Amino acid sequence: MKLLEERIRKDGRIYPGNILKVDSFLNHQIDVSLIDKIGEAFYEAYKDCGITKILTIEASGIAIACSAARFFNVPLLFAKKSQSLNLGNDLYTTTVSSFTYKKDYQVTISKRYLSEKDHVLIVDDFLATGNAIIGLAELCRLAGAKVEGVGICIEKGFQQGGTQLREMGYSVTSLAVIESMTDDGEIVFKS
Amino acid sequence: MKLLEERIRKDGRIYPGNILKVDSFLNHQIDVSLIDKIGEAFYEAYKDCGITKILTIEASGIAIACSAARFFNVPLLFAKKSQSLNLGNDLYTTTVSSFTYKKDYQVTISKRYLSEKDHVLIVDDFLATGNAIIGLAELCRLAGAKVEGVGICIEKGFQQGGTQLREMGYSVTSLAVIESMTDDGEIVFKS
């Protein structure tokens, strides 16, 4: 997606350790007009898959899921990272290792909102190690729901997540795939 | 807002201790068409205030902020509850006590995205003790930004947050104000 690649080049900031910060437009401050183009791109990719629900994980995925859900005209569901006292006990739960936060955490959804009738599109802002997406796919498996696809804004192509998910058989649509980036700010996108 | 009150009556669930769960449509699974009506209502209330930014707190506020931001055609910014290793050091930070989670937590935003030029609309799903909103207003104060208003989906009118915020001088627009609710499921809205 040209628009997203251009925005990453313009407003992304690179820090040592292959860290790309896009918090001016994607995951802290959010440019809703860009997010809407992203939601539309996911709709174009999966509009014939009978999607019944958009699934993401708090917090960065929610705005993206919100836009996608509008195009598909289905609800969105976001998995929670910590167990709220108010969420109840009827939960599907799995464990995810966070690369960013360097720790494991529980990811949960209420059993009420995902079932074997659902055809799910998983969306998120980044795909790197793939751990968060694999966790969301595991929640779908526990619920008996079918994962029809995975929509990603930015895939770090030099990490193993994308390859691993595709080898597992998932349809992954990444709108910008970074092949390499250097500490002095150069980004090469996979064409 | 009649639509929201009706939805709360239809799909909200009440648990002992004045807990109202609206996670089937507002803050776990999300009905985007309802959220869009909410965003529009906030726009109607504050469209003449020169709003430059919608501010909320992760995670439940993000979808609502996203919809409001679309109507105002401004960016949204969500405060983070835990300090990401990737967020950097240039942060405004304050402490919030969570009624739901029974603990204190840090709330942060990047200094890059809020300044004395901003006219802010704060939005969130619930207003009860008011602690989260007061924390967001404090972040605005630290940045020198002006809080033009506070848009709330559901205010628990029997808790002190709304009164406190209004006494502090904030313009608070709550789309549904619950005057009382009983453990057997009866809800009385303030008219």
Side-chain angles (χ1 to χ4, degrees):
Chain A
M1 190 187 182
K2 213 67 200 165
L3 186 73
L4 181 57
E5 291 182 3
E6 284 167 4
R7 190 64 178 271
I8 293 166
R9 279 196 209 282
K10 180 170 161 277
D11 291 329
R13 286 171 292 129
I14 294 177
Y15 291 84
N18 283 325
I19 293 172
L20 170 65
K21 291 180 70 164
V22 289
D23 62 358
S24 66
F25 60 94
L26 193 64
N27 53 19
H28 179 33
Q29 180 169 257
I30 295 173
D31 176 346
V32 175
S33 66
L34 176 70
I35 291 283
D36 281 349
K37 294 291 181 191
I38 288 169
E40 189 175 12
F42 293 149
Y43 178 71
E44 285 303 318
Y46 295 103
K47 65 185 171 190
D48 299 324
C49 295
I51 301 297
T52 61
K53 206 150 282 186
I54 310 296
L55 178 65
T56 191
I57 186 166
E58 65 176 359
S60 312
I62 295 174
I64 298 154
C66 207
S67 171
R70 182 176 294 104
F71 282 98
F72 284 95
N73 197 23
V74 300
L76 78 94
L77 180 65
F78 68 87
K80 305 209 171 193
K81 284 183 182 168
S82 61
Q83 192 172 336
S84 163
L85 299 180
N86 285 358
L87 203 58
N89 295 318
D90 287 342
L91 303 172
Y92 295 116
T93 300
T94 190
T95 302
V96 169
S97 292
S98 167
F99 179 76
T100 309
Y101 291 82
K102 316 279 186 217
K103 65 176 180 185
D104 290 354
Y105 56 92
Q106 297 290 305
V107 175
T108 59
I109 54 171
S110 168
K111 290 184 181 177
R112 288 173 181 262
Y113 308 125
L114 201 63
S115 78
E116 69 287 347
K117 291 177 189 158
D118 280 311
H119 296 257
V120 177
L121 176 64
I122 295 173
V123 303
D124 209 357
D125 56 342
F126 271 98
L127 172 59
T129 64
N131 292 346
I133 303 297
I134 289 168
L136 292 174
E138 171 64 11
L139 294 176
C140 290
R141 193 192 65 77
L142 292 169
K146 181 158 186 237
V147 177
E148 296 288 346
V150 178
I152 297 294
C153 298
I154 304 171
E155 177 180 338
K156 289 180 169 175
F158 51 87
Q159 288 186 255
Q160 84 284 6
T163 303
Q164 189 180 351
L165 283 167
R166 291 175 183 104
E167 282 176 2
M168 290 167 81
Y170 293 109
S171 162
V172 180
T173 299
S174 297
L175 302 183
V177 181
I178 297 174
E179 206 159 75
S180 65
M181 51 187 199
T182 60
D183 287 354
D184 61 358
E186 203 189 337
I187 299 179
V188 178
F189 291 103
K190 190 175 165 185
S191 55
Chain B
M1 187 187 182
K2 214 69 200 164
L3 186 73
L4 180 58
E5 290 181 3
E6 284 167 4
R7 189 64 177 270
I8 294 166
R9 279 197 207 282
K10 180 171 161 277
D11 292 328
R13 287 171 291 128
I14 293 177
Y15 291 84
N18 282 326
I19 292 173
L20 170 64
K21 290 179 70 164
V22 289
D23 62 358
S24 66
F25 60 95
L26 192 64
N27 53 18
H28 179 32
Q29 181 169 257
I30 294 172
D31 176 347
V32 175
S33 66
L34 176 69
I35 292 282
D36 280 349
K37 295 290 183 194
I38 289 169
E40 189 175 11
F42 292 149
Y43 178 71
E44 285 304 318
Y46 295 103
K47 64 185 172 189
D48 299 323
C49 295
I51 301 296
T52 60
K53 206 150 283 185
I54 310 296
L55 178 65
T56 190
I57 187 167
E58 65 176 357
S60 312
I62 296 175
I64 298 152
C66 208
S67 172
R70 183 174 295 103
F71 283 98
F72 284 96
N73 196 25
V74 300
L76 78 96
L77 180 65
F78 68 87
K80 304 206 172 196
K81 284 183 183 170
S82 61
Q83 191 170 339
S84 163
L85 300 180
N86 286 357
L87 204 57
N89 295 317
D90 287 341
L91 303 172
Y92 294 116
T93 300
T94 190
T95 302
V96 169
S97 294
S98 168
F99 179 75
T100 309
Y101 292 84
K102 316 281 185 216
K103 63 177 180 187
D104 290 354
Y105 56 91
Q106 297 292 304
V107 176
T108 60
I109 55 170
S110 168
K111 290 184 180 177
R112 287 172 181 264
Y113 308 126
L114 202 62
S115 78
E116 69 285 348
K117 292 178 187 158
D118 279 312
H119 296 256
V120 176
L121 175 64
I122 295 173
V123 304
D124 209 357
D125 55 343
F126 270 98
L127 173 60
T129 64
N131 291 347
I133 303 297
I134 289 168
L136 292 174
E138 171 64 10
L139 294 177
C140 290
R141 192 191 65 77
L142 291 170
K146 178 154 189 241
V147 177
E148 297 287 347
V150 178
I152 298 294
C153 298
I154 305 172
E155 177 179 340
K156 288 180 169 174
F158 51 87
Q159 288 188 255
Q160 85 285 5
T163 303
Q164 190 180 350
L165 283 168
R166 290 176 183 102
E167 283 176 1
M168 290 167 82
Y170 293 109
S171 160
V172 180
T173 300
S174 298
L175 302 183
V177 181
I178 298 173
E179 205 159 78
S180 64
M181 52 188 199
T182 61
D183 286 355
D184 61 356
E186 203 190 336
I187 299 179
V188 178
F189 291 103
K190 190 174 165 184
S191 55

